[in-house]
Amino acid sequence: MKFVIFDMDGTLINSNHAIAISVNNVRKSLKLDALNEREIITTINDPAKNSINEFFGTAKTYDELKKEFFRRVIFNYVIYARKFDGISWLISECRRAGYGLAVASNSPQKGLKRILFAKGLLWKFDLIVGSSDQIRQKPYPDMLNYIASNSKVGGNCVFIGDSDKDALAAHSANMAFIGAKWNIYADLSDDICKFYANDTKIAFEIIKKILD
């Protein structure tokens, strides 16, 4: 079976506001000034930056800050995050075309399914992979390699994401990549992203060209 793999934040779900509120909630608890939304999302998408350290410094241990941040993200997701326009259609068309569907997200595996369930997406996917002690976050290719290995698809995969972290992971996994430009904060470099889609209809056209 051929597989279409989706990043979650900024690709499936418009979580920009939920993430920004969560970052600033933690910063407020640490008596740090608020950051603007674009700065927050750009930092998260930058492969060269450790966003937890960038946002929160060393007031607490890295693991404590990471745990507190993702706890707030899960709560704020329910209130503020929304599926992007056309995502339900794109998922349905991919399924109708006979493609398998998967999610590869830097969100922790433990909370990932709760987020997808809250947005009505949990049962749409054959495989859902988040970060864990065993699977590193993108730009490492661990998630994509895991999905390709467990679905036995070989090179018949395409990954859709909105950042250079996603593009680099796809490149390392020797997997085709489509840049999701429907996210206003999409941050993609031309030298590592060959295909771009401004909306989900264009994305589906590119998917068919790659996989069929």
Side-chain angles (χ1 to χ4, degrees):
M1 178 181 283
K2 300 168 183 178
F3 257 72
V4 180
I5 307 169
F6 293 86
D7 169 50
M8 184 177 71
D9 293 306
T11 303
L12 288 173
I13 298 174
N14 186 347
S15 55
N16 297 328
H17 197 45
I19 290 171
I21 288 174
S22 301
V23 167
N24 284 324
N25 284 163
V26 178
R27 285 180 64 85
K28 185 177 180 180
S29 73
L30 298 171
K31 296 180 169 50
L32 298 172
D33 293 337
L35 302 174
N36 70 65
E37 186 172 288
R38 178 177 290 277
E39 180 181 1
I40 289 169
I41 302 304
T42 300
T43 298
I44 287 173
N45 287 337
D46 189 339
K49 292 182 178 179
N50 181 310
S51 57
I52 298 296
N53 289 342
E54 292 282 336
F55 294 145
F56 312 128
T58 57
K60 296 182 181 179
T61 68
Y62 178 85
D63 288 341
E64 286 176 319
L65 290 166
K66 186 176 180 180
K67 183 177 180 180
E68 176 64 13
F69 169 62
F70 280 109
R71 184 185 69 80
R72 292 177 186 263
V73 165
I74 292 171
F75 175 80
N76 287 319
Y77 245 94
V78 176
I79 302 170
Y80 300 107
R82 299 288 184 272
K83 287 183 289 186
F84 279 105
D85 291 342
I87 282 297
S88 294
W89 174 86
L90 179 56
I91 290 170
S92 295
E93 288 302 303
C94 287
R95 187 63 80 187
R96 188 176 291 113
Y99 305 141
L101 297 171
V103 174
S105 171
N106 277 354
S107 292
Q109 181 71 29
K110 289 182 179 179
L112 184 54
K113 291 186 177 181
R114 289 172 59 190
I115 291 170
L116 291 169
F117 176 80
K119 299 302 148 189
L121 291 171
L122 180 60
W123 310 115
K124 303 287 187 181
F125 296 96
D126 304 296
L127 287 169
I128 296 169
V129 183
S131 62
S132 67
D133 291 340
Q134 293 75 40
I135 297 179
R136 295 172 296 179
Q137 291 183 324
K138 298 167 287 182
Y140 292 103
D142 301 24
M143 298 173 192
L144 303 183
N145 288 336
Y146 178 89
I147 291 168
S149 175
N150 282 269
S151 54
K152 296 180 174 61
V153 294
N156 293 318
C157 290
V158 59
F159 180 40
I160 306 174
D162 69 305
S163 75
D164 280 351
K165 285 184 178 180
D166 299 320
L168 288 167
H171 179 76
S172 296
N174 196 27
M175 191 174 290
F177 178 76
I178 300 172
K181 297 284 279 186
W182 53 81
N183 179 9
I184 61 170
Y185 297 141
D187 191 10
L188 296 152
S189 302
D190 291 337
D191 58 335
I192 55 175
C193 184
K194 182 179 179 181
F195 301 108
Y196 293 100
N198 290 324
D199 58 47
T200 55
K201 289 188 177 181
I202 294 173
F204 187 59
E205 291 173 4
I206 298 172
I207 289 168
K208 288 191 294 183
K209 289 179 181 177
I210 293 172
L211 294 181
D212 293 345

